[in-house]
């Protein structure tokens, strides 16, 4: 086609500074949007947003959304959707409560059983989508109804609780300071410093690698600015946590999972194949990619993560309620789309989904502090989702 | 005769590149005017300027149609004056009937309510004109590609067409359907309809064109008049590539070795209509260093055979035996077929060959990710090195290996698909229409590559609807018809007539 010629020539021209910034800064656009939103609420709430207590709350309130967004991203990238996750959260939370409170199980086997049950739920839905070829929207809409119903049946329409303290610590525990220094938690600070060192080391190693293979890395100034900005954010964040109660357990769990999934999507063959499957299923299949099995796997994985989120939610509320998990699927899906995932599959990044979840979380939190009613909160969130995706579509078309 | 269309000094630039520069193009009323040129020469851009896809003001120069200067701001404006373009990718809705498609957007209706009587009667008349006997309420998806093309033309006729533009109309048609289409163009000419025909098939152009305009690198190089006498294909090619093409097929010394691939009694049924056997007991073999062709008409079952062989990617109840170098191999999934040394390069690179919105590097390594990964973890730099290597070896023209494949020209896309399979290092390559829709220069490069693969001792099985290509490239040719092999010729004994004869005789049996 004629456009081949166009692109070829456009690509061989020297890259002007502005476009270098755009190519190498593209992924940071989302992060900047998050910072702008945070700055806005920081000013509007007279500094309440970034108080240590509130930052800790932000983490506790949004960890399970972030965790589910990791699984949802893979589902969306493979070209599907999972509407059942909210119901699975509620059902698994209920299951945990029944096992621990009513049957007196220890919390460790309970967690194991709950994660397995989540995996089985995801696997069943995945089987229907991947092998029986029923559209995922339908399968998981059915799953949403089924598990919502089972949640109610399991709990008998009542709340079940409370949980033993060990179980609660999943969500409400913190990494203790060995010195017991009140008001300033050392592990949090060490964690921040370690993270900054890791950012610098991996960044420099990547540049060295690029140089060794004759690829021109981004200008050093830009790299330094980006890394510096990120380091500053990480340190600031850890400082805020340190001045309250330190690192929440659930934060460590979340960060570990984010790192694992970012690695899977960016660097592993399985991640690559999921993107290929979402980009062009037929071509992927004819290249030897086991498309059905991968689809099945993304749903099974989603089920496990939804179950984990269900445990976190139950532990945080210290009770399993019939309303738990209601509407979570919408927040999770919105996080992925705000983060740049494509509804038709093939596109989307873990970092984008995480930032998308944080944008939703900060807006929820900020608007609550400002006393905006739940009614208009939803209106505003809906408009932000539409705006974010519209901007994305606009730039992709260019 | 007077010119019906004159495009004067057309210049169209995109950011950073000039796609057309000062092109003047004139078409006389009532003629068939062929527009040829390599991919990327600017043919489609010129036609998009003409049909208003690129509106007035986005290009320089002027368009005079029927003696008046025209400033189209969209495709509706050009259709209103009778300029109709039929694109390479058909724009029909498969689940609507022929009649609904013909009048889509132009419904026979009063006050928004469709007059079905007028619709069917109108469609019937139009179908007769294009030589289709189908009922107007047949669904388009139940028609073959050739008939779909005719429906497109019927649709164009429903709009009071004066200038018909056909972009590669015969690219996916077999010879019989192509001939029917060309006949139709000649009939239109007799009725005074002017046509512009864009095609890579020079023999077709020689058959019907009154004049030929050659585009090269965004400029109109020359216009050849065919009325004085036939213009030779070599003459046209010279204009397109700017040099003499001494030989269209690179020379090769065949060094044929031992038996490599043996297929025995391969059969497959249609995936939906399981009572229809589409591949019927195929037995064939390919030796090391040998290029073997499969000739046949569209619908003979060649692609179905190849895809069912390659990991049962097509069909149901697939049975038969495959041996590689004497040992029976398992080809029941694509993964196993690849592991056992097979590769299948699809005829439809956009649907089955490429992940279009990913870059060259991702596509090149997709079929053999383990070659750039250790323990399931991809080594970016190794992948980059592999992709860069194949890019330069196959001379893929792009800004780098990180350019998205959707932006490449057809020939370069085909090279990416080939690179993907070369990286998987197969013993036997099945190439399905390897040069479809790509230009003469890129074809030559792909032929040269095929020769090199054969010289390395691999076996090549080539499916092609272009008989000269099979005759020019293969050592041996099988002929397939209605799911069975009906003849086999060493290339020295084969000719187009013999192959056609074999098909026709088999059809009569």
């Amino acid at each position: 086609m004629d456009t081949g010629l166009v692109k070829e020539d456009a690509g061989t021209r020297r890259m002007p500074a502005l476009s270098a910034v755009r190519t190498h800064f593209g992924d940071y656009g989302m992060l900047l949007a998050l910072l702008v939103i945070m700055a806005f609420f920081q000013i509007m709430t007279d500094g309440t947003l970034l108080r240590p207590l509130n930052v800790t709350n932000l983490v506790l309130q949004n960890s399970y959304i972030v965790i589910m967004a990791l699984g949802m991203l893979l589902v969306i990238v493979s070209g599907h959707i999972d509407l059942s996750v909210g119901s699975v959260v509620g059902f698994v939370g209920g299951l945990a409560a029944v096992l621990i409170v009513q049957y007196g199980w220890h919390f460790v086997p309970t967690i194991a059983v709950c994660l397995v049950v989540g995996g089985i739920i995801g696997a069943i839905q995945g089987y229907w989508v991947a092998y029986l070829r029923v559209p995922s929207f339908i399968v998981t809409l059915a799953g949403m109804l089924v598990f919502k119903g089972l949640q109610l049946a399991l709990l008998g329409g009542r709340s079940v609780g409370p949980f033993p303290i060990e179980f609660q610590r999943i969500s409400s525990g913190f990494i203790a300071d060995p010195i017991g220094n009140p008001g300033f938690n050392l592990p949090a600070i060490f964690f921040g410093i370690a993270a900054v060192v890791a950012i610098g080391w991996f960044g420099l190693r990547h540049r060295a690698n690029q140089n060794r293979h004759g690829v021109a890395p981004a200008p050093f100034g830009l790299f330094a600015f980006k890394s510096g900005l990120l380091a500053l954010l990480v340190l600031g964040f850890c400082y805020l946590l340190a001045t309250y109660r330190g690192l929440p357990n659930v934060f460590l769990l979340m960060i570990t999972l984010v790192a694992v999934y970012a690695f899977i999507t960016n660097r592993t063959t399985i991640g690559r194949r999921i993107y290929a499957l979402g980009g062009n299923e037929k071509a992927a299949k004819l290249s030897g990619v086991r498309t059905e099995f991968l689809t099945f796997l993304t749903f099974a994985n989603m089920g496990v993560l939804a179950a984990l989120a269900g445990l976190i939610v139950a532990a945080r509320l210290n009770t399993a309620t019939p309303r738990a998990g209601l509407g979570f699927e919408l927040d999770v899906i919105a996080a992925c789309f705000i983060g740049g995932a494509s509804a038709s599959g093939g596109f989307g990044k873990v970092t984008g989904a995480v930032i998308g979840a944080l944008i939703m979380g900060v807006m929820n939190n900020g608007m609550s502090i400002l006393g905006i009613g739940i009614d208009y909160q939803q209106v505003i969130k809906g408009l932000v989702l539409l705006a974010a995706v519209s901007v994305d579509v606009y730039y992709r078309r260019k | 005769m007077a010119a019906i269309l004159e495009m004067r000094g057309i210049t169209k630039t995109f950011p950073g590149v000039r796609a057309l520069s000062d092109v003047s193009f004139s078409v006389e009323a009532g003629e068939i005017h062929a527009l040829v040129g390599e991919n990327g020469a600017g043919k489609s851009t010129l036609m998009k300027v003409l049909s208003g896809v690129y509106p007035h003001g986005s290009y320089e120069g002027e368009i005079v149609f029927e003696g008046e200067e025209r400033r189209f701001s969209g495709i509706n404006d050009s259709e209103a004056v009778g300029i109709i373009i039929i694109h390479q990718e058909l724009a029909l809705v498969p689940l609507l009937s022929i009649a609904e498609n013909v009048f889509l957007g132009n419904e026979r209706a009063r006050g928004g309510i469709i007059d079905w009587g007028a619709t069917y009667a109108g469609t019937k008349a139009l179908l007769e004109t294009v030589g289709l006997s189908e009922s107007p309420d047949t669904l388009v998806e139940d028609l073959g590609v050739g008939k779909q093309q005719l429906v497109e033309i019927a649709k164009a006729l429903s709009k009071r067409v004066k200038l018909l533009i056909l972009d590669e109309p015969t690219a996916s048609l077999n010879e019989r359907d192509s001939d029917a289409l060309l006949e139709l163009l000649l009939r239109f000419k007799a009725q005074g309809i002017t046509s512009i025909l864009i095609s890579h098939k020079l023999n077709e152009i020689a058959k019907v064109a009154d004049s030929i305009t050659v585009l090269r690198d965004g400029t109109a190089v020359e216009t050849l008049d065919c009325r004085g006498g036939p213009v030779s294909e070599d003459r046209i090619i010279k204009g397109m590539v700017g040099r003499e093409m001494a030989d269209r097929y690179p020379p090769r010394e065949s060094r044929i070795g031992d038996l490599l691939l043996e297929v025995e009694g391969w059969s497959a049924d249609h995936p939906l209509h399981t009572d229809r056997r589409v591949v019927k007991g195929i037995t064939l073999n390919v030796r090391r260093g040998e290029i073997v062709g499969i000739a046949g008409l569209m619908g003979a079952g060649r692609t179905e055979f190849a895809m069912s062989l390659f990991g049962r990617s097509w069909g149901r109840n697939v049975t038969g035996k495959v041996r590689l170098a004497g040992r029976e191999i398992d080809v029941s999934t694509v993964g196993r077929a690849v592991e056992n040394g097979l590769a299948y390069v699809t005829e439809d690179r956009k649907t089955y060959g490429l992940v279009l919105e990913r870059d060259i590097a991702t596509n090149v390594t997709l079929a053999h990710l383990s070659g750039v990964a250790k323990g399931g973890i991809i080594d970016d730099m190794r992948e980059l090195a592999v992709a860069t290597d194949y890019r330069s070896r196959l001379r893929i023209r792009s800004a780098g290996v990180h350019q998205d494949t959707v932006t490449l020209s057809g020939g370069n896309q085909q090279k990416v698909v080939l690179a993907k399979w070369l990286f998987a290092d197969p013993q036997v390559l099945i190439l399905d229409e390897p040069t479809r829709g790509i230009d003469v220069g890129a074809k030559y490069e792909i032929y040269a590559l095929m020769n090199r693969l054969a010289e390395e001792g691999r076996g090549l099985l080539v499916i092609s609807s272009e008989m000269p290509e099979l005759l020019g490239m293969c050592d041996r040719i099988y002929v397939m018809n209605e799911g069975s092999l009906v003849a086999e010729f060493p290339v020295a004994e084969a000719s187009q007539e013999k192959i056609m004869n074999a098909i026709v005789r088999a059809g009569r049996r």
Side-chain angles (χ1 to χ4, degrees):
Chain A
M1 287 276 96
D2 294 356
T3 45
L5 183 78
V6 177
K7 282 281 175 175
E8 200 170 317
D9 285 23
T12 47
R13 277 180 311 147
R14 281 184 61 81
M15 196 179 260
L18 188 68
S19 98
V21 169
R22 205 181 299 139
T23 13
H24 294 289
F25 228 72
D27 295 350
Y28 280 69
M30 291 294 310
L31 188 58
L32 290 178
L34 173 63
L35 292 179
V36 168
I37 290 171
M38 286 177 72
F40 171 77
F41 282 111
Q42 175 71 357
I43 294 165
M44 294 300 288
T45 61
D46 295 326
T48 309
L49 185 81
L50 291 183
R51 289 228 181 95
L53 164 68
N54 196 53
V55 169
T56 305
N57 272 338
L58 262 173
V59 170
L60 296 180
Q61 281 166 5
N62 292 295
S63 54
Y64 48 88
I65 299 290
V66 170
I67 287 172
M68 284 194 283
L70 299 173
M72 189 64 79
L73 181 83
L74 294 185
V75 171
I76 289 175
V77 164
S78 73
H80 295 284
I81 196 86
D82 189 342
L83 299 173
S84 73
V85 294
S87 296
V88 175
V89 163
F91 173 70
V92 169
L95 181 65
V98 168
L99 290 178
I100 292 179
V101 178
Q102 294 181 355
Y103 287 84
W105 281 34
H106 188 264
F107 77 97
V108 174
T110 305
I111 290 175
V113 165
C114 284
L115 292 181
V116 169
V117 167
I120 291 171
I121 291 172
I124 292 171
Q125 301 194 96
Y127 180 80
W128 244 265
V129 174
Y131 295 100
L132 303 184
R133 303 233 147 224
V134 180
S136 57
F137 191 95
I138 310 290
V139 172
T140 60
L141 183 63
M144 179 178 176
L145 293 169
V146 166
F147 296 107
K148 187 88 236 163
L150 288 179
Q151 173 190 6
L152 294 176
L154 198 60
L155 293 171
R158 298 168 290 115
S159 293
V160 176
F163 289 105
I165 186 76
E166 298 87 352
F167 183 75
Q168 289 178 41
R169 290 181 67 86
I170 298 174
S171 282
S172 56
F174 291 83
I175 304 294
D177 191 329
I179 310 175
N181 196 357
F184 198 77
N185 179 290
L186 284 178
I189 292 298
F190 284 130
F191 176 82
I193 292 170
V196 166
V197 170
I199 290 168
W201 190 71
F202 279 115
L204 287 173
R205 200 181 69 152
H206 182 60
R207 291 177 66 82
N209 231 336
Q210 283 183 321
N211 270 326
R212 187 145 25 92
H213 289 84
V215 185
F220 187 79
L222 196 63
F223 163 75
F225 177 70
K226 264 162 59 174
S227 310
L229 183 70
L230 199 59
L232 219 61
L233 288 175
V234 169
L235 280 181
F237 173 75
C238 289
Y239 174 78
L240 287 173
L241 289 181
T243 52
Y244 184 59
R245 292 176 60 188
L247 296 174
N249 292 339
V250 70
F251 172 75
L252 278 188
L253 181 63
M254 177 183 97
I255 282 295
T256 311
L257 286 173
V258 169
V260 167
Y261 279 86
F263 185 78
I264 289 175
T265 51
N266 286 331
R267 294 294 306 278
T268 65
T269 53
I270 200 165
R272 172 67 61 80
R273 287 179 179 141
I274 291 174
Y275 282 95
L277 154 68
N280 184 349
E281 184 178 355
K282 288 174 179 163
K285 199 171 169 127
L286 262 191
S287 299
V289 174
R290 293 162 70 198
T291 51
E292 283 101 355
F293 180 67
L294 273 184
T295 305
F296 169 80
L297 216 57
T298 59
F299 276 92
N301 171 69
M302 182 72 252
V304 174
L305 291 179
L308 180 60
L311 293 170
I312 293 171
V313 171
R316 177 169 156 72
L317 300 177
N318 193 17
T319 171
T321 73
R323 288 182 56 81
L326 198 66
F328 281 12
E329 63 280 346
L330 300 180
D331 279 348
V332 174
I333 292 167
C336 290
F337 287 139
I338 289 177
S342 155
S344 51
F347 283 102
K349 284 186 164 183
V350 162
T351 42
V354 171
I355 293 172
L358 294 179
I359 287 178
M360 295 285 283
V362 167
M363 288 198 333
N364 279 334
N365 181 278
M367 289 190 292
S368 297
I369 298 172
L370 287 177
I372 296 175
I374 193 84
D375 41 8
Y376 285 107
Q377 284 198 21
Q378 302 219 22
V379 173
I380 293 169
K381 272 159 54 181
L383 293 177
V384 167
L385 171 65
L386 186 63
V389 176
S390 304
V391 168
D392 214 46
V393 167
Y394 177 76
Y395 277 107
R396 201 163 284 166
R397 203 181 301 149
K398 278 199 125 181
Chain B
M1 244 197 266
I4 186 170
L5 170 76
E6 269 193 76
M7 301 178 78
R8 295 189 197 124
I10 304 288
T11 296
K12 168 81 189 160
T13 51
F14 295 100
V17 70
R18 184 172 274 214
L20 293 173
S21 81
D22 196 20
V23 172
S24 292
F25 175 58
S26 137
V27 179
E28 283 178 23
E31 72 167 348
I32 298 178
H33 196 121
L35 190 58
V36 300
E38 295 194 288
N39 286 334
K43 300 177 304 254
S44 300
T45 312
L46 187 66
M47 290 303 107
K48 281 178 180 166
V49 167
L50 173 57
S51 58
V53 173
Y54 299 132
H56 178 79
S58 71
Y59 58 87
E60 288 161 41
E62 57 178 8
I63 300 173
V64 177
F65 184 68
E66 294 191 305
E68 250 179 77
E69 199 198 335
R70 309 282 177 166
R71 299 178 169 189
F72 303 129
S73 59
I75 199 152
N76 288 336
D77 292 355
S78 62
E79 286 193 351
V81 300
I83 300 177
I84 311 276
I85 183 161
I86 295 178
H87 291 282
Q88 202 173 346
E89 278 96 20
L90 297 181
L92 297 173
V93 185
L95 288 173
L96 292 184
S97 69
I98 295 178
E100 285 166 315
N101 268 291
V102 165
F103 289 108
L104 190 63
N106 180 25
E107 288 84 0
R108 294 291 98 113
R110 197 167 300 154
I113 295 161
I114 291 180
D115 179 348
W116 287 109
T119 303
Y120 280 120
T123 308
K124 232 183 158 71
L126 289 168
L127 290 184
E128 259 164 46
T129 324
V130 299
L132 267 184
S133 53
E134 258 69 13
S135 155
D137 58 6
T138 311
L139 294 189
V140 164
E141 69 165 356
D142 295 334
L143 301 175
V145 197
K147 289 181 175 171
Q148 290 189 10
Q149 191 85 52
L150 294 176
V151 172
E152 273 278 8
I153 292 173
K155 187 176 168 183
L157 293 180
S158 79
K159 292 175 189 159
R160 206 179 48 90
V161 58
K162 288 180 187 157
L163 175 62
L164 185 64
I165 304 167
L166 297 126
D167 191 355
E168 297 268 358
T170 60
S172 48
L173 301 191
N174 62 34
E175 219 141 308
R176 212 172 32 201
D177 286 349
S178 300
D179 283 344
L181 188 87
L182 297 175
E183 282 298 318
L184 192 60
L185 283 189
L186 290 172
R187 280 224 308 281
F188 288 164
K189 184 171 121 181
Q191 293 167 17
I193 297 174
T194 315
S195 315
I196 297 176
L197 174 66
I198 300 178
S199 179
H200 281 306
K201 297 189 181 168
L202 301 183
N203 57 340
E204 294 180 351
I205 287 172
K207 257 185 232 167
V208 298
D210 299 308
S211 42
I212 302 170
T213 293
V214 182
L215 285 186
R216 186 169 78 222
D217 299 335
T219 56
V221 194
E222 55 187 344
T223 295
L224 306 164
D225 193 342
C226 311
R227 273 163 290 216
V231 176
S232 77
E233 290 184 24
D234 289 341
R235 176 71 192 78
I236 304 173
I237 292 172
K238 186 185 158 201
M240 283 166 69
V241 300
R243 60 178 191 276
E244 298 271 3
M245 284 283 268
D247 214 332
R248 258 195 275 178
Y249 303 101
R252 174 170 70 100
E253 240 178 80
S254 303
R255 269 196 306 274
I256 296 170
D258 299 336
L259 271 178
L260 184 59
L261 176 78
E262 292 167 88
V263 178
E264 204 183 300
W266 198 262
S267 297
D269 294 344
H270 193 280
L272 299 178
H273 316 284
T274 42
D275 53 332
R276 245 182 75 202
R277 177 141 284 199
V278 180
V279 181
K280 301 167 186 162
I282 301 285
T283 297
L284 55 71
N285 63 66
V286 180
R287 289 169 175 275
R288 280 189 198 282
E290 190 181 31
I291 301 182
V292 177
I294 305 183
L297 300 176
M298 193 80 50
R302 295 171 300 167
T303 296
E304 290 80 358
F305 162 67
M307 284 182 73
S308 66
L309 186 69
F310 189 63
R312 304 202 175 153
S313 304
W314 189 91
R316 281 219 186 147
N317 307 327
V318 179
T319 54
K321 279 184 192 160
V322 188
R323 280 191 295 275
L324 194 78
R327 189 174 56 86
E328 189 165 340
I329 56 169
D330 180 3
V331 292
S332 58
T333 67
V334 174
R336 283 178 203 149
V338 174
E339 259 169 51
N340 284 315
L342 292 193
Y344 168 70
V345 179
T346 169
E347 60 169 341
D348 184 350
R349 54 184 168 262
K350 285 184 178 163
T351 311
Y352 289 104
L354 295 169
V355 184
L356 282 171
E357 285 174 335
R358 293 275 149 192
D359 61 13
I360 295 172
T362 308
N363 277 288
V364 168
T365 56
L366 185 61
H368 185 46
L369 271 176
S370 55
V372 292
K374 210 180 270 175
I377 296 164
I378 295 172
D379 181 343
D380 288 353
M381 292 300 150
R382 168 120 187 75
E383 175 171 57
L384 183 68
V386 165
T388 309
D389 179 37
Y390 278 99
R391 174 171 173 264
S392 66
R393 270 208 272 163
L394 301 195
R395 289 201 267 155
I396 298 169
R397 279 174 215 101
S398 68
V401 296
H402 291 307
Q403 184 174 339
D404 286 350
T405 49
V406 69
T407 62
L408 298 174
S409 71
N412 284 312
Q413 287 182 341
Q414 184 70 356
K415 288 182 193 169
V416 175
V417 179
L418 280 166
K420 171 170 82 174
W421 288 112
L422 294 188
F423 181 52
D425 194 22
Q427 305 240 20
V428 177
L429 279 105
I430 307 171
L431 305 173
D432 197 350
E433 304 285 357
T435 61
R436 167 175 295 170
I438 67 181
D439 58 64
V440 184
K443 269 186 187 176
Y444 190 87
E445 289 181 55
I446 284 174
Y447 295 143
L449 176 69
M450 286 162 62
N451 284 349
R452 214 155 65 225
L453 293 170
E455 275 158 27
E456 288 168 11
R458 298 176 215 265
L460 275 70
L461 192 58
V462 182
I463 297 171
S464 175
S465 296
E466 286 184 43
M467 278 193 248
E469 176 172 287
L470 290 176
L471 294 168
M473 288 300 298
C474 297
D475 299 301
R476 196 150 54 89
I477 298 173
Y478 288 104
V479 182
M480 191 162 172
N481 192 48
E482 291 180 1
S484 310
L485 292 183
V486 294
E488 178 187 352
F489 303 102
V491 72
E493 294 170 18
S495 67
Q496 296 210 28
E497 292 72 32
K498 280 189 179 172
I499 293 173
M500 272 322 284
N501 256 325
I503 292 171
V504 172
R505 260 187 291 121
R508 262 192 237 127
R509 265 208 309 260

